[in-house]
Amino acid sequence: MSSAESLARPYARAAFDLARESNALTEWSSKLEFAAAVVRSPQVQTLIGNPAFGGDKLVSLFLPQDEKADSAFANFVATLAANRRLPILAEVADGFAALKRAAEGVLKVTVRAAVPLEAGQSDALKAALAKRFGRQIELTSTIDESVIGGAIIDAGDTVIDGSVRGRLERLAQSLTH
């Protein structure tokens, strides 16, 4: 785990608690996604450390256009700025999203396969994983030709290796031991 993720964790938790108290998880999620996109901009990265461009000017860059300067979200961003934590805003947004998914009973699952999953395969996999984990599944699939065939499923703390490469490695281990 990176130090940015460690630093972001308490801020993500604080943002989540603020959003939950005001029953605005979805609203805060979109605002944090916006702020994370802003912080990833190279132009903004140069402004963050510039003493000539600070305070309210800097904070206003991270607020959606219709956001009031005295809102809870604006105060949250101002707190990040005051603590020199604006560079970790993307990690804060990621942490918030993970807390939101957990609160909503959604599990983020990544599938790596050698070929793209067909819609039917994706739906069947989501249904099987939902049954196994007892949660809704947010499925993302990526192409990884090193898998050779089959798939590797990463579901939080659980990794299911059903790849041909994994089977070959397990076979090689059993033959050498």
Side-chain angles (χ1 to χ4, degrees):
M1 182 173 300
S2 77
S3 66
E5 289 172 338
S6 296
L7 289 171
R9 190 177 301 115
Y11 291 101
R13 171 54 73 184
F16 179 78
D17 291 343
L18 284 168
R20 188 172 49 187
E21 286 171 11
S22 61
N23 201 24
L25 287 174
T26 302
E27 183 181 325
W28 271 71
S29 181
S30 65
K31 290 176 183 180
L32 282 167
E33 287 173 18
F34 172 82
V38 171
V39 81
R40 289 182 182 112
S41 164
Q43 296 86 354
V44 172
Q45 290 288 326
T46 60
L47 292 176
I48 288 176
N50 185 342
F53 193 87
D56 293 340
K57 281 187 202 177
L58 186 59
V59 170
S60 69
L61 289 176
F62 296 93
L63 304 179
Q65 191 170 4
D66 59 342
E67 190 71 21
K68 293 183 172 42
D70 64 345
S71 71
F73 183 76
N75 290 333
F76 176 76
V77 174
T79 300
L80 286 171
N83 293 322
R84 298 177 186 220
R85 297 292 189 235
L86 286 174
I88 63 166
L89 241 169
E91 288 83 2
V92 171
D94 291 345
F96 180 93
L99 291 168
K100 181 177 180 280
R101 278 192 304 274
E104 294 172 342
V106 176
L107 179 63
K108 185 175 184 178
V109 175
T110 303
V111 177
R112 289 185 294 145
V115 296
L117 294 178
E118 296 175 8
Q121 291 173 318
S122 180
D123 292 341
L125 183 58
K126 282 171 78 171
L129 291 171
K131 183 177 179 181
R132 177 175 180 173
F133 292 106
R135 296 163 73 180
Q136 293 177 12
I137 302 298
E138 181 182 300
L139 189 70
T140 305
S141 63
T142 60
I143 306 301
D144 181 354
E145 293 176 2
S146 71
V147 171
I148 303 173
I152 298 173
I153 301 167
D154 184 356
D157 295 336
T158 304
V159 176
I160 303 167
D161 187 349
S163 68
V164 171
R165 180 184 184 132
R167 290 181 193 150
L168 289 172
E169 288 172 357
R170 288 188 295 277
L171 178 62
Q173 276 186 331
S174 70
L175 291 174
T176 59
H177 288 106

